[in-house]
Amino acid sequence: MDLVKNVMYSISLGEYDNCLSKMYCCTTDKLQPYRDRFINLLETFGEMFGFNREVELFSASGRTEIGGNHTDHQLGQVLAGSVNLDVIAVASKNNDGITRVKSEGYPIDIVDTSQLQPLESEKNTSASIIRGVTEYFSSNGFNVGGFDCCTTSNVLKGSGLSSSAGFEVLIGNIINSFYANDSATAQDIAVIGQYAENRFFGKPCGLMDQMASSVGGIISIDFYDKENPKVVPVDFNFDTTNYSLCIIDSGADHSDLTDEYANITKEMKLVSNAMGVEYLSRVDETEFFNSISKLRETCPDRAILRAIHFFNDNKRVSKEVKALQEKNLDEFFNLVKASGRSSYEYLQNVYPSGSVKNQAVALVLALCEKYLDGKGAFRVHGGGFAGTVQAFVPNDMVAQFKLNIEKAIGVDMCHILNIRSVGGLKLYKN
């Protein structure tokens, strides 16, 4: 029997069920769709690269930002979690130094691992991520080479669940397994993903997305020490509450809004630089407020408002962690709603600057306020401007909430998710 088909058979027998159960937050009687997903991807790999190949299986989750909106790039604090949507891969090491990655729905990416400098023509492409992650491992002493790979993702692109970070973490795990003897930690792989996105892809992102996707579970992250961010697991299980996590896709695509995201970072840095430091986390809040009149001479008012959001949302993270640890959901929800208001009013990332017609996220927020009727909580999710809204919905309201939201914005736009306990990984047998 061909090697790839051996793995397909092992999956069908349930030999990966323990791992799959952790990844998809369900019991074994509900795993068949996930087994089929890997089996189908193995079939695709075999048809493209050959069935007589030694293969490994990989997964990297999407992420949900729970607290700390646009605080990470100022070396602040965030609260985040991995979710049970992911990008998965079947991969096989090769000996020709060429990496070939065929992602479902996209042309194949081909990267020569002997040429690892950033390419201007490759910016904003998945090939740049592959090249950037490979270059990082190479620059840190590993003899990297090529691999052949097929991937598929149910983390919707532009959804605010960070499909790009999931892809970065996936590629990091593959290279770590094939060429680095699994020596890179989950936190290392997150840093590598950010490096590739900043240097090669060309997006000045923070580190939260990659860290949440890579580490898994609910985590608080303090980025104050840039080289050694403090990552602390938060022992809380939303499945034990009477609330469900819903991520609502507004239907607006945020893939062409790089300048809007970059302007948040630039404007916050205008303020921090005017205060004589590189990051807002280094600024004394009292001194900042005492300096607003002076700051307005060189900084736009929006930049100052965005800095105010940073100070407030950064402090909220530790309060949210405390509320979860104490299982005080009312306090947690109050903090989530306060974060959402701050993002809307001060950070101003609910819709693109000057947009009158396209305010899909604002519309979803208004619908959440109506249909939750004071219960649970809701907020803009992730980068903002387009993409998604996060809502914590009482279980007895979920069905009607989903129906009402989708009646307004479209079918299958309200996703009911779980926090998964594992992040990026190579699948293992029971």
Side-chain angles (χ1 to χ4, degrees):
M1 187 179 289
D2 294 326
L3 295 174
V4 171
K5 291 188 176 180
N6 280 340
V7 180
M8 294 166 68
Y9 187 58
S10 293
I11 293 172
S12 69
L13 291 178
E15 293 179 5
Y16 288 84
D17 279 4
N18 289 348
C19 185
L20 293 174
S21 291
K22 289 183 179 180
M23 290 162 53
Y24 300 116
C25 310
C26 63
T27 52
T28 54
D29 59 306
K30 296 180 180 178
L31 282 178
Q32 194 56 49
Y34 304 110
R35 297 188 197 108
D36 290 343
R37 186 168 172 238
F38 274 99
I39 289 170
N40 292 338
L41 191 61
L42 281 156
E43 183 75 31
T44 299
F45 178 93
E47 291 172 354
M48 177 164 288
F49 297 115
F51 283 93
N52 195 28
R53 298 282 297 272
E54 293 279 357
V55 294
E56 298 287 356
L57 311 177
F58 298 87
S59 164
S61 71
R63 70 95 179 100
T64 182
E65 170 202 282
I66 301 169
N69 194 213
H70 281 279
T71 52
D72 59 334
H73 51 73
Q74 295 306 301
L75 303 188
Q77 300 181 60
V78 298
L79 180 64
S82 57
V83 298
N84 59 327
L85 298 177
D86 63 348
V87 53
I88 64 172
V90 176
S92 179
K93 187 176 179 180
N94 66 41
N95 297 316
D96 61 14
I98 306 296
T99 291
R100 305 170 187 86
V101 178
K102 178 62 176 74
S103 297
E104 184 180 17
Y106 297 91
I108 191 168
D109 291 311
I110 300 176
V111 173
D112 185 342
T113 62
S114 68
Q115 300 174 7
L116 295 177
Q117 72 279 8
L119 301 178
E120 188 66 28
S121 62
E122 239 178 31
K123 281 193 172 181
N124 296 300
T125 69
S126 51
S128 70
I129 296 298
I130 299 164
R131 195 179 304 276
V133 173
T134 307
E135 191 274 335
Y136 190 101
F137 277 97
S138 176
S139 295
N140 283 272
F142 295 102
N143 293 319
V144 297
F147 59 90
D148 299 313
C149 175
C150 287
T151 84
T152 185
S153 175
N154 57 15
V155 185
L156 301 176
K157 187 176 181 182
S159 69
L161 296 170
S162 201
S163 56
S164 59
F167 184 77
E168 292 156 15
V169 170
L170 187 80
I171 297 300
N173 273 276
I174 293 170
I175 297 174
N176 191 36
S177 174
F178 289 166
Y179 292 104
N181 301 312
D182 292 316
S183 60
T185 67
Q187 293 186 37
D188 293 335
I189 290 173
V191 170
I192 293 167
Q194 183 201 28
Y195 170 85
E197 188 158 346
N198 289 173
R199 289 281 309 279
F200 286 73
F201 187 86
K203 182 177 178 181
C205 67
L207 185 57
M208 179 193 69
D209 294 353
Q210 294 85 354
M211 197 68 79
S213 175
S214 190
V215 174
I218 301 176
I219 55 173
S220 68
I221 315 170
D222 186 340
F223 292 107
Y224 190 88
D225 182 347
K226 185 177 181 180
E227 302 305 321
N228 298 286
K230 185 178 179 182
V231 181
V232 180
V234 178
D235 185 16
F236 186 85
N237 184 358
F238 276 106
D239 293 342
T240 64
T241 72
N242 292 318
Y243 290 84
S244 293
L245 169 64
C246 295
I247 300 294
I248 304 152
D249 189 343
S250 69
D253 185 7
H254 72 192
S255 60
D256 62 346
L257 294 170
T258 297
D259 287 346
E260 291 280 5
Y261 303 127
N263 282 338
I264 292 178
T265 304
K266 289 176 183 176
E267 290 182 16
M268 287 186 176
K269 281 195 175 297
L270 279 177
V271 176
S272 63
N273 290 342
M275 297 294 295
V277 294
E278 188 174 359
Y279 301 100
L280 284 176
S281 60
R282 271 58 169 163
V283 175
D284 179 82
E285 183 179 352
T286 300
E287 184 181 351
F288 161 78
F289 277 99
N290 289 336
S291 304
I292 285 179
S293 177
K294 180 70 173 175
L295 288 170
R296 294 184 73 194
E297 296 176 7
T298 57
C299 301
D301 284 348
R302 188 176 69 173
I304 294 169
L305 288 168
R306 285 174 162 172
I308 291 172
H309 164 81
F310 169 82
F311 289 119
N312 291 337
D313 228 34
N314 197 47
K315 288 185 293 186
R316 262 188 287 269
V317 171
S318 58
K319 294 177 182 178
E320 288 173 335
V321 170
K322 184 173 185 289
L324 290 178
Q325 290 171 335
E326 294 176 351
K327 297 181 170 51
N328 186 346
L329 276 183
D330 288 341
E331 174 64 10
F332 172 73
F333 289 150
N334 286 335
L335 291 163
V336 170
K337 288 184 281 190
S339 174
R341 288 192 297 271
S342 180
S343 292
Y344 207 150
E345 297 171 9
Y346 302 147
L347 185 61
Q348 300 179 36
N349 70 331
V350 168
Y351 49 84
S353 304
S355 177
V356 175
K357 182 179 179 181
N358 299 314
Q359 297 191 7
V361 172
L363 178 59
V364 172
L365 290 169
L367 293 171
C368 287
E369 184 172 21
K370 174 174 176 56
Y371 294 126
L372 283 175
D373 193 26
K375 301 178 179 65
F378 62 95
R379 65 194 282 272
V380 64
H381 178 248
F385 300 112
T388 57
V389 168
Q390 177 187 77
F392 295 93
V393 184
N395 287 341
D396 60 0
M397 295 174 63
V398 167
Q400 190 63 46
F401 178 83
K402 179 177 170 67
L403 184 67
N404 288 335
I405 292 292
E406 294 185 347
K407 182 179 178 181
I409 64 170
V411 177
D412 295 329
M413 302 297 267
C414 180
H415 306 281
I416 303 167
L417 303 181
N418 297 93
I419 303 292
R420 85 180 203 178
S421 62
V422 293
L425 78 163
K426 177 169 67 176
L427 272 68
Y428 54 85
K429 288 187 176 182
N430 302 341

